Amino acid sequence: MAFRRCRFLYLFMFLFFVAFYGFITSIQERAHYCIITQGQIRWLPGRTCQNIKKSVIRTPLQKYKLNDLMKQVKSLQRCPWSVNTKAMKAIRSELRACCNASHNLLVTKANTHIGENITYETQRDRNIVITEKIYKMLPEVSPFREKLYRRCAVVGNGGSLLNSCCGSEIDQADFVFRFNLPPMNYSYDIGRKTDLVTANPSILHNSYSKLNAQRKPFMDLLKVYEPALIVIPAFSFPSSTDVSFRVFYTLQDFESQQKLAFFHPDYLMKLALYWKDKGLTARRLSSGLMIVSTALELCEEVTLYGFWPFSRGATGKPIPHHYYDNRIPKPGFHAMPDEFFFYTKMHSKEILKLRIGRCF
């Protein structure tokens, strides 16, 4: 009996060290890959770049073709890019006039009062009264300063990030936005830094039992993002409110220093109208476009990573939907290709930089 136990123990230790060695080796190989693949980009002629940009800018949303757009974006990665300060200021001014993220992105004690009725973003016939209990959950003021961040990285979860080697470049940004509590174990491709991360309440429903059962696994997840601000759309759907409040109380119960805030539904509504006026029609804006719009207000220079919404990468090879899984979202809810079309237009106008493929 003792012999069997010892044999089992030795076998377990052997398998553990093999797995650990494989993990370390994969990390080393990944680092080596990112070093040896760095090289010089073969830039396109200036006139060619100008023609591609003009074509993208002049094409209306209703007439663009996906295959043409994919080819144009791939080519644009071989064109020099520098921020067009005038164009950037113009769109920042538009967004501030309509929405004003620095003050209104989040529900705060500065823009809300006890007894106020807040209307849900997606159900205009439903309201919630700001009670004293809810009011205590809110930050005093918006955490976003009046002074602009110099360089911002908005990191999507697209499969195009795999093997991109963009992690180091992302971590050099002054402010990094991320979405929906993504896995952070792909650092060579996605970086380590996080300043703001959104959390979709569906994650809490599907993966953490609405925080009605054990909450420690959820807290272990959040530690990866410390000290980033966590932002939840508590007032977008009535079904999201209670579970969003449970996040606040979970942080409080575990004495976490991590900050939590809620999207203001009025900001999201006004933002949807802004993009509708630009020609974008969708049942609801993606969290990606919401945060990109915020970054355009708060930052001098914005670079997008992982925003390729297609099943094949820029090289034509199949890629997963996310860099960490291939779970496809429900069709018809967001208009990802149309949103990507606007990102491509803004890249061509040098308002924001759209990173596709490897970072060299």
Side-chain angles (χ1 to χ4, degrees), residues 215-279:
R215 297 174 297 164
K216 189 176 183 302
F218 178 68
M219 289 303 302
D220 291 339
L221 170 71
L222 294 190
K223 287 179 182 177
V224 177
Y225 308 103
E226 290 181 347
L229 173 68
I230 302 166
V231 183
I232 302 181
F235 306 116
S236 289
F237 299 89
S239 60
S240 300
T241 304
D242 286 344
V243 71
S244 299
F245 290 170
R246 282 187 213 117
V247 175
F248 175 87
Y249 290 119
T250 299
L251 289 168
Q252 191 176 70
D253 290 346
F254 280 79
E255 298 181 347
S256 172
Q257 297 302 307
Q258 204 149 22
K259 302 299 182 184
L260 175 73
F262 306 128
F263 279 112
H264 202 303
D266 288 350
Y267 170 85
L268 298 181
M269 264 195 332
K270 291 174 181 177
L271 189 66
L273 290 174
Y274 171 84
W275 285 108
K276 186 176 181 179
D277 288 343
K278 298 289 184 183

Side-chain angles (χ1 to χ4, degrees), residues 175-190:
F175 200 95
V176 178
F177 300 87
R178 298 187 190 272
F179 303 94
N180 297 331
L181 305 176
M184 295 296 290
N185 51 346
Y186 298 79
S187 60
Y188 287 105
D189 293 328
I190 69 166

Side-chain angles (χ1 to χ4, degrees), residues 101 105 144 177 267 289-299:
L105 174 67
F144 302 116
F177 300 87
Y267 170 85
L289 184 52
M290 293 173 187
I291 293 298
V292 169
S293 303
T294 298
L296 289 171
E297 270 197 66
L298 301 179
C299 312

Side-chain angles (χ1 to χ4, degrees), residues 85-99:
T85 305
K86 183 178 180 180
M88 182 63 161
K89 284 182 177 178
I91 196 168
R92 184 185 301 128
S93 178
E94 287 181 4
L95 286 165
R96 281 185 175 173
C98 86
C99 310

Side-chain angles (χ1 to χ4, degrees), residues 79-276:
C79 294
W81 187 98
S82 60
V83 64
N84 182 328
T85 305
K86 183 178 180 180
M88 182 63 161
K89 284 182 177 178
I91 196 168
R92 184 185 301 128
S93 178
E94 287 181 4
L95 286 165
R96 281 185 175 173
C98 86
C99 310
N100 198 353
S102 60
H103 292 283
N104 299 326
L105 174 67
L106 308 175
V107 184
T108 68
K109 291 176 181 175
N111 62 23
T112 312
H113 57 79
I114 297 174
E116 180 177 347
N117 274 319
I118 287 187
T119 303
Y120 280 96
E121 175 205 349
T122 60
Q123 293 182 234
R124 305 307 296 160
D125 59 337
R126 295 285 301 275
N127 298 319
I128 183 169
V129 178
I130 299 299
T131 63
E132 185 174 353
K133 189 176 181 180
I134 297 174
Y135 191 75
K136 289 180 179 178
M137 299 182 196
L138 308 179
E140 294 292 334
V141 295
S142 170
F144 302 116
R145 55 191 184 183
E146 293 294 336
K147 185 179 179 181
L148 298 174
Y149 298 103
R150 192 174 68 83
R151 291 175 57 244
C152 293
V154 185
V155 186
N157 296 330
S160 61
L161 273 173
L162 279 176
N163 301 322
S164 67
C165 299
C166 288
S168 176
E169 183 175 302
I170 289 169
D171 286 340
Q172 292 175 34
D174 298 295
F175 200 95
V176 178
F177 300 87
R178 298 187 190 272
F179 303 94
N180 297 331
L181 305 176
M184 295 296 290
N185 51 346
Y186 298 79
S187 60
Y188 287 105
D189 293 328
I190 69 166
R192 299 177 184 274
K193 182 177 181 180
T194 306
D195 295 285
L196 181 152
V197 60
T198 67
N200 193 320
S202 64
I203 298 171
L204 306 172
H205 283 267
N206 299 332
S207 301
Y208 296 97
S209 304
K210 303 180 185 179
L211 297 179
N212 283 324
Q214 291 182 328
R215 297 174 297 164
K216 189 176 183 302
F218 178 68
M219 289 303 302
D220 291 339
L221 170 71
L222 294 190
K223 287 179 182 177
V224 177
Y225 308 103
E226 290 181 347
L229 173 68
I230 302 166
V231 183
I232 302 181
F235 306 116
S236 289
F237 299 89
S239 60
S240 300
T241 304
D242 286 344
V243 71
S244 299
F245 290 170
R246 282 187 213 117
V247 175
F248 175 87
Y249 290 119
T250 299
L251 289 168
Q252 191 176 70
D253 290 346
F254 280 79
E255 298 181 347
S256 172
Q257 297 302 307
Q258 204 149 22
K259 302 299 182 184
L260 175 73
F262 306 128
F263 279 112
H264 202 303
D266 288 350
Y267 170 85
L268 298 181
M269 264 195 332
K270 291 174 181 177
L271 189 66
L273 290 174
Y274 171 84
W275 285 108
K276 186 176 181 179

Side-chain angles (χ1 to χ4, degrees), residues 304-338:
L304 310 190
Y305 303 84
F307 274 79
W308 183 262
F310 310 113
S311 59
R312 291 185 177 273
T315 60
K317 295 181 180 179
I319 58 172
H321 185 72
H322 298 130
Y323 67 82
Y324 50 85
D325 69 29
N326 196 31
R327 187 177 299 173
I328 307 298
K330 293 180 180 179
F333 198 70
H334 299 306
M336 296 296 195
D338 290 353

